[in-house]
């Protein structure tokens, strides 16, 4: 990541934003495209909603995705820890059997 700030202009939800950021411009454009895709996915039913309301719905959806991914990561980490511990226990048992033989 670049430590120098630069100005990036993004259009999100039909509004142009000028951001001062140290992130790469291409990265910010990808993030903006994700938000725009989510807004578009709201469909015609959201036409009466304000831009701010649409952005809140998208933000809540992205936050929900983040929490789901964090939960899956915790489960995966625990599963991995359990599998490794089980393998260590089996190795220890075999080593013990070998020493007692």
């Amino acid at each position: 990541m670049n430590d120098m700030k630069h100005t990036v202009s993004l259009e999100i939800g039909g509004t142009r934003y000028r951001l001062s950021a140290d992130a790469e411009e291409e990265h910010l454009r990808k993030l903006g495209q994700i938000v725009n895709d989510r807004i578009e996915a709201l469909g015609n039913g959201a036409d009466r909603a304000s831009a701010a309301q649409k952005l809140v719905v998208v933000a809540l959806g992205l936050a929900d995705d983040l929490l789901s991914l964090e939960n899956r990561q915790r489960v995966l980490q625990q599963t991995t820890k359990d599998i490794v511990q089980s393998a260590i226990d089996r190795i220890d048992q075999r080593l013990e059997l070998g020493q007692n033989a």
Side-chain angles (χ1 to χ4, degrees):
M1 193 187 277
N2 188 348
D3 286 338
M4 294 184 55
K5 292 207 181 274
H6 53 278
T7 300
V8 177
S9 181
L10 296 175
E11 186 172 321
I12 298 174
T15 302
R16 183 151 298 277
Y17 296 92
R18 289 176 50 85
L19 308 170
S20 178
D22 57 2
E24 294 292 325
E25 182 173 349
E26 185 59 30
H27 180 69
L28 291 172
R29 292 200 183 288
K30 287 179 184 177
L31 296 176
Q33 188 58 53
I34 290 169
V35 173
N36 283 328
D37 291 346
R38 294 280 183 117
I39 290 170
E40 189 174 315
L42 295 175
N44 294 337
D47 284 346
R48 292 179 290 161
S50 70
Q53 289 170 321
K54 291 176 189 178
L55 289 174
V56 167
V57 170
V58 168
L60 290 172
L62 291 169
D64 186 54
D65 290 350
L66 176 62
L67 284 177
S68 294
L69 288 171
E70 287 174 344
N71 287 334
R72 287 195 318 200
Q73 180 183 19
R74 270 192 292 282
V75 168
L76 182 59
Q77 286 174 334
Q78 186 60 50
T79 300
T80 302
K81 182 179 174 184
D82 293 346
I83 289 170
V84 169
Q85 187 60 53
S86 176
I88 290 170
D89 292 345
R90 286 193 314 270
I91 291 168
D92 285 347
Q93 288 172 356
R94 288 189 181 177
L95 287 173
E96 242 180 69
L97 288 174
Q99 289 176 354
N100 293 334

